[in-house]
Amino acid sequence: MEVRVGPDTEDTFDDTFWDGLHCVVNALDNIQARLYVDSRCVWFGKPLLESGTLGTKANVQVILPKLTQSYGDSQDPPEESIPLCTVKHFPNAIEHTIEWAREAFEQMFVETPREGNSFLGDPTSYLQKLSTTGSGTSQLQRLKSIKHIIEKRTGPFDAFVEYAVFEFQEKFHDSIVQLLYTFPLEHVTAEGTKFWSGPKRPPAPIKFDANDDLHLDFVVAAANLYAATLKAPENRDRAMLKSLAAKVKIEDFKPKEMKIKADDKDTTAEGCMDDDEAVRRLSTEMSQKLKTLQVKADLQPAEFEKDDDSNFHIHFIAAAANLRARNYKIPEADFHKVKMTAGKIIPAIATTTAMATGLVSAELLKVVNYGERKVEDFKNAFVTLALPLWVFSEPLPPVKTVSKEHDPIVMGPVKARPEGFTSWDKVECNLGDATLQEFLDFLTDEVQVEVMIMSSGNACLYNAYVPAHKKRLKEKITSLWETITKQTLSPKKSYLTLEVSASDLDDGVDVVIPTVKFQFR
Amino acid sequence: METMGKLMQMKVLISGLRGLGVEVAKNLILAGPAQVILHDEAPAELRDLGANFYLTQEDDPFDPSRAEACRAQLAELNPYVAVELHRGPITEQLVQQVSLMVLTETPQSELVRLNKLCRSAPNPVGFIAADCLGLASFVFVDYGDAFMCHDKDGEEPRSAIVSGVTLESPGTVHTHQDRRHGFQDGDSVVFKEVQGMTQLNDGKPRQIKVTGPYSFTIDEDTSKYSAYISDGIVTQTKVPHHIPFFSYEQSLAQPRHPGEEMHVPDMAKFGRSEQLHFAVQAVLAYREKHGELPAVRDAAAAKECVDLAKQINEARKKGGNPQLFVEELEEEIVTKVAMFARCMICPMAAFLGGVVAQEVVKFTGKFSPIHQFLYFDMFELCPATEPDWKPKGCRYDDQIAILGSSFQEALANMKLFLVGAGALGCEFLKSFAMMGVGCAGKITVTDMDRIEISNLNRQSLWICRSTGSRLGYLRSVPTLSPS
């Protein structure tokens, strides 16, 4: 089957399908899909064999209904990400400039055309939204980019080359001059230490030179990517582009009084005061101009594709990353390294895959009769073939919800009913097509709780604190669901999943209960 | 990249083409050595179909040897690898023509003989011995006396920003507290751009001892150097280091190098590796005596193996340190290895096949080889009571011998959902087909992706070059298991 598993395909992979399974085996490459499959296995009470490989590393996790944790019960520690300020102003490693270049690609060739289309489609609405997002400086940059792309959309290619040279100037010269204006080389911090030291490498601006291969690489890539967003034909004639670029007149840059964050803990709002005023003027100018122009919103945002070496994507990122590295005197990277890093490619190998298959297959043999087995028989595995290292361990028991004296979220005591229930548990309600009141009475009898809030997915079906909800009590839950979600219940569906917040009948303490399966058919 | 270059020149001999041998061959060919030479004179048997996925029912009456039966299909996996056959015993001449040999299904005396030839060859030949003995298995690696490892873990070298260096012996280096340096004891590092203590900027590697998340010492007297002023970047560097190996014969008696312990893959099975060391040697000794491994669930043969194991252990005890011996031999372990020694089941073959193929690649000097034994078992699979294990005359006989016919039936009746058909998914599918999963029930497979150029080298079920819908190529799977 060529159907992606997810919430949209629950008509294909319906209850009958899931109920009929003995076991599910994951062979996925992303966490989102894994979490979805895991949630289905938990709901339908099915064993799941989860595994993944990364280079010579592999892991296998066995998930058994009621006996073990589910995949979603634990999280990998977050990946080491690059701090914002490091990428934006203070890189000291090539990985930082590659990330910066990747973001520049997104901003120039994905977001700008997208926003351009948004503006062209409904200029008033766009300008209104713009004025509420980000600083005046960032708004000004975005608006200028949109103005430029609209004005230059008919070419000729000279205009795209000019654009590329201006971008070069802005990124590798002007913004560096601005940074050094705000934080001069001799700048000293409040503590008396040199600002430009340690992880903050002092940058130097680069003036555009069409004779420099790396400068030209950037211009060729940027100009062509720009042309692509405008659906204009490409131009790979390097000699011609070089002569066009050399002719572009570059203005002198005067730095402004600009506020820049010194590090991620700095609470300074970035931007320049003059820019707020400039944005307002530009907005007015653009909305007036547009009244006379007949422009279709058909700009073409790029879709990052790492594998096609002819599309200029990696070429752009490599040139940009290396130019910025030159600004900061960081050793440059070759095309291959940029592709692997920017494309987040982790080479996979047959040996790890084969080894993991062996382990998963062994666990599958145990799953066949898991009801007759002990949890200790099953083995989760963490392997790194490079070292080599094998670590097998027993799957952990499911996370239990227990009553607490003090829960930090509720700021008070919370009871769990039943005590120590897990995500594998549910409250089964077989009242048929009952009313809300009948359901509340059911919970009062079965679980000794008073329902305070009841929801299905994102829809709140009942809130005891809202007086107006009292009239919902005599309605059927199914019709209530249809009214509030504005959807019709598929004839295939025989139950609703409900989340209930409740309080104890006797002492009013908050009570958490498992998810409710409301079987109405 | 450098590793790829070395791998592309390697000639590897693989002897024994039951499930394990063919898994090693498949994984290795996908990686891309220059040449793979297959050696197995034994004819294929029906039960081999349980784990050797290139043998088909049509090979009945199995006139060609196992090696010959799979050669053509193995060759198809990678046009850049020459896949050839060697007939007859492995000669000294052949040993000197290959870079490394992987020996499975091989008698103990042959292992000793070939290991000596590998060690004495003008260019040391890599030696790996491995076997799947039902629910137990082992890998032995010997790369000779002159082996150099260039990159012990394949990790990207880490860098840190220097914030201070003391003037003392040994000198202490402090790194910036915005990020842990992440170095380990024994790492080698190089410095650059250090202001003040410029003596460090000579590019020479220095070994370190970690003293904290933001500090370490270098094996150097910095007290007479110029004082540190500011800046500096310190980066891990990979320094080639020599790894000594014992011969196979010596390792039998002394499997552990001084200061090292045997692998403990599972803490719940502490001491298991030592027990298996004797269990496996006993079973191999049984084969030396009788010309074949103990028969399936043959109590008398198993008892003989237990006695052999005890004898070997006693001899080692007498020899004393550094020879390995156990205080008490666990008879049950020896019995379990003996009972199923002839069985080759898919999960074990796949597991070990991946491990061994990776060890072959490590001969290039990348990553750290097993030093020198790995023992692994799946004894939890062993049923508590004796099942209906008699062979049915089908491809699943080895699996049935361990788990029983009723179990095999339950496996066949399974309804399974396989989500994703990429690298892992395809291997799972092949594995399930060979184990007989769902052939009376159902396996539902779903996938959304298309084949990309960069993932062709690790998915052996697709031999075509074209890209397109992945699932179309899984047509080949039903031929693995017509039932």
Side-chain angles (χ1 to χ4, degrees), chain A residues 5-67:
Chain A
V5 174
D8 320 318
T9 54
E10 283 176 17
D11 270 349
T12 315
F13 300 115
D14 60 10
D15 287 13
T16 321
F17 172 76
W18 287 97
D19 278 328
L21 296 172
H22 289 107
C23 180
V24 180
V25 179
N26 271 348
L28 294 162
D29 60 3
N30 68 90
I31 295 180
Q32 198 187 23
R34 283 180 163 104
L35 286 171
Y36 176 75
V37 174
D38 178 65
S39 69
R40 298 273 79 195
C41 288
V42 169
W43 180 255
F44 292 102
K46 302 292 172 186
L48 172 63
L49 294 177
E50 164 52 49
S51 60
T53 67
L54 199 71
T56 71
K57 298 186 177 132
N59 82 292
V60 174
Q61 184 180 357
V62 181
I63 292 137
L64 301 169
K66 299 204 189 295
L67 295 172

Side-chain angles (χ1 to χ4, degrees), chain A residues 97-149:
Chain A
T97 68
I98 293 175
E99 178 62 27
W100 174 91
R102 177 79 183 85
E103 287 176 19
F105 176 93
E106 278 300 302
Q107 186 260 314
M108 286 164 71
F109 309 114
V110 180
E111 286 163 21
T112 299
R114 208 179 272 161
E115 296 209 12
N117 284 341
S118 199
F119 171 77
L120 289 168
D122 187 348
T124 329
S125 161
Y126 176 83
L127 289 171
Q128 212 170 22
K129 258 206 233 143
L130 179 74
S131 59
T132 59
T133 28
S135 66
T137 308
S138 73
Q139 290 174 24
L140 184 63
Q141 272 170 1
R142 284 157 70 189
L143 215 47
K144 273 187 175 166
S145 302
I146 294 173
K147 174 170 187 262
H148 195 270
I149 203 173

Side-chain angles (χ1 to χ4, degrees), chain A residues 198 205 212 235 379:
Chain A
D212 185 314
N235 184 334
K379 303 285 172 188

